[in-house]
Amino acid sequence: EPLFPKKNYECLMSCEFLKYILAVKQGDCPAPEKASGFAAACVESCEADNECSGVKKCCSNGCGHTCQVPKTLYKGVPLKPRKELRFTELQSGQLEIKWSSKFNISIEPVIYVVQRRWNYGIHPSEDDATHWQTVAQTTDERVQLTDIRPSRWYQFRVAGVNVHGTRGFTAPSKHFRSSKDPSAPPAPANLRLANSTTNGDGTVTVAIVWDVPEEADIPVHHYKVFWSWTVSTKSLVPTKKKRRKTTDGAQNSVILDRLQPDCGYTVELQAIAYWGQTRLKGAKASLHFTPARSTGHKEQLGKTRKSAVHIQPSFQRRGPARLLEIGAPFYQDHQLQVKVYWKKTEDPGVDRYHVQWLPEACAHNASTRAETSSGLTQENYIILQDLSFSCKYKVTVQPIRPKGRLKAETVFFTTPPCSALKGKSHRHVSCPGEAAHVPAKVLTKPENLSASFVIQDANITGHFSWKMAKANLYHPMTGFQVTWAEVTTESRQNSLPNSIISQSQILPSDHYVLTVPNLRPSTLYRLEVQVLTAGGEGPATIKTFRTPDLVLPSVH
């Protein structure tokens, strides 16, 4: 009464109306004498409609109240709109959707609720589509939408609603896709230096981070990272050096190793997306900074030159970014070590991280049982020490806060064989299984490397296989090390090789096939296969394969 004096009749009625439609389900209760079975029991099993499942209402049976099916579920409820939705793409870029309804069967106004879902890709797919989202409510039999993006397959559905209820949505419409070509991804925003760490040899490791674009026409496939610096030489003209690498499109950080302290660096970052076989390059964002001799603390040492402006927030975040990154294994203090980095959580309550690591499979079949190692740190990195050679490790990082733990992140990596370090001037390395005598070299190598490719849903999966001839090995064979890398023929400044990191996997000795998903179309890949034994590894068999083209339907 104090809030709604009697003279404010409209406000009072509006409140009562809202309470009514939230508490009372559509339809009328049947006559009490019509109740049968449990519905006729003399019990008070409900007090309101929302306590009953489905369309059932809380109705009187003459001696109590039970949940019963209404007798006139659709009394006064508007009919469904006709299924055929009509789409018109306007010059302004808006999409106009029209539908038609049969005559209204009650005097109350009808509101039409429009929902949509969509999927990325060359082909429409209901399995990969988003959840239904309400995008409009209107009393007209048409609606114009401004946020239609190229490269997406949309479906729509419409429901008519009035004060009595609704008959539900129409069946999903046919798929619609804009005739416009997608735009290149925007320039990465807020490119910045997250932290800087001084290594034992005086070089500096830095982490560069950026903001992931909220709403791009096409998901980012990968980022190109360029960094350059000037080196003083004996000549009058200083030399400018440049390096590059790529990082996965789901990530928003990259680690740059072995930088020189007190030297000015320029980093450029570019997002790359693919539309069919067309590569779309975004604008570059740049950052200037000078690494200082610091350890682990965060410093904002640079500012971006370019940043993207996002007008519309995303209503669906795409897959989560991978938060863990593995540095290159290194041998120091007579032990194999690896540095693991991660992005600090945004939760201010997290004060430390619990890290666990253990070898899941090793090529040398160590007799000792694999033990789990662990450590605690307040930093966003940890150095794993005393690792074994030729092993696949699992690393789990668990953020810890006083009121419990957050979701853990896991990453896998493979350590190199011992012989790889011995070839890099680490003459003092004592490899497992070495004796006073020099064992015979492993001469056996895989033969008949072959490849087959399967194309499914615009993804290429490669099946690489090989054979082994019978041979008398000095040591028993323990497995295969298979390494594959993309071979690029692009011309580059200073003819520097591409620093895309090759991937390696250790397979058991009875596996002669490796399956690699998500290969790029019409691309050369270099495959190396080596025999692993307890006494070392054999020579590599190397072969280059080209993946097939994707035969895509023409886009109208």
Side-chain angles (χ1 to χ4, degrees), residues 212-421:
V212 176
E214 289 288 336
E215 187 79 16
D217 283 354
I218 301 178
V220 176
H221 181 270
H222 65 273
Y223 290 96
K224 283 186 177 180
V225 188
F226 308 85
W227 67 100
S228 58
W229 68 101
T230 302
V231 178
S232 300
T233 60
K234 294 181 180 179
S235 62
L236 296 176
V237 180
T239 302
K240 186 175 184 181
K241 291 194 173 184
K242 193 169 186 178
R243 294 286 186 272
R244 58 164 281 179
K245 70 188 297 187
T246 65
T247 185
D248 190 273
Q251 294 184 341
N252 71 327
S253 64
V254 67
I255 302 295
L256 304 184
D257 279 321
R258 306 192 65 78
L259 304 186
Q260 297 301 316
D262 304 322
C263 181
Y265 282 84
T266 297
V267 174
E268 291 181 310
L269 184 69
Q270 183 181 38
I272 307 294
Y274 285 92
W275 176 236
Q277 291 180 295
T278 303
R279 182 163 60 173
L280 302 176
K281 298 181 178 180
K284 292 180 180 177
S286 60
L287 171 70
H288 303 277
F289 68 95
T290 301
R293 298 180 184 273
S294 60
T295 51
H297 59 278
K298 293 187 175 182
E299 298 180 68
Q300 301 296 333
L301 296 180
K303 295 183 178 179
T304 56
R305 279 184 177 173
K306 299 178 182 178
S307 62
V309 178
H310 309 296
I311 298 174
Q312 296 184 359
S314 170
F315 62 83
Q316 187 205 22
R317 297 293 297 266
R318 303 305 289 173
R322 290 202 294 272
L323 300 179
L324 301 185
E325 189 159 340
I326 302 292
F330 60 96
Y331 194 84
Q332 189 173 315
D333 299 329
H334 306 290
Q335 57 183 328
L336 185 63
Q337 304 181 42
V338 162
K339 201 169 191 176
V340 182
Y341 309 83
W342 55 88
K343 181 183 177 182
K344 282 201 171 183
T345 177
E346 297 177 357
D347 190 332
V350 173
D351 56 358
R352 52 192 174 147
Y353 298 85
H354 182 248
V355 186
Q356 284 189 322
W357 64 98
L358 79 157
E360 285 208 326
C362 294
H364 46 69
N365 285 341
S367 58
T368 55
R369 187 174 59 86
E371 293 184 359
T372 301
S373 304
S374 62
L376 276 175
T377 177
Q378 294 180 334
E379 304 294 337
N380 69 322
Y381 69 90
I382 192 171
I383 297 177
L384 312 184
Q385 299 179 328
D386 201 17
L387 302 177
S388 299
F389 294 103
S390 298
C391 287
K392 179 182 177 182
Y393 276 84
K394 176 182 178 181
V395 183
T396 303
V397 177
Q398 172 83 65
I400 297 177
R401 57 185 177 184
K403 295 183 179 179
R405 300 189 174 197
L406 297 175
K407 180 183 175 184
E409 296 288 337
T410 300
V411 71
F412 296 88
F413 70 92
T414 303
T415 54
C418 182
S419 55
L421 285 179

Side-chain angles (χ1 to χ4, degrees), residues 483-521:
T483 304
W484 67 98
E486 184 181 323
V487 179
T488 180
T489 55
E490 295 179 12
S491 59
R492 288 189 175 76
Q493 189 175 358
N494 300 334
S495 300
L496 289 172
N498 185 7
S499 62
I500 289 180
I501 299 173
S502 64
Q503 299 184 69
S504 183
Q505 189 168 338
I506 294 175
L507 299 179
S509 58
D510 58 347
H511 283 52
Y512 294 83
V513 177
L514 175 71
T515 300
V516 182
N518 302 321
L519 298 178
R520 291 174 57 181

Side-chain angles (χ1 to χ4, degrees), residues 539-555:
T541 302
I542 303 173
K543 196 167 182 179
T544 301
F545 300 97
R546 179 179 289 277
T547 54
D549 288 333
L550 287 176
V551 181
L552 304 176
S554 59
V555 178

Side-chain angles (χ1 to χ4, degrees), residues 74-102:
Y74 296 118
K75 181 182 178 182
V77 173
L79 300 172
K80 282 186 182 181
R82 293 192 176 135
K83 296 179 186 176
E84 298 79 14
L85 302 185
R86 300 185 298 282
F87 304 116
T88 305
E89 197 167 8
L90 305 178
Q91 290 280 347
S92 61
Q94 294 180 325
L95 174 65
E96 183 177 64
I97 307 172
K98 295 181 181 178
W99 57 90
S100 59
S101 297
K102 297 177 183 178

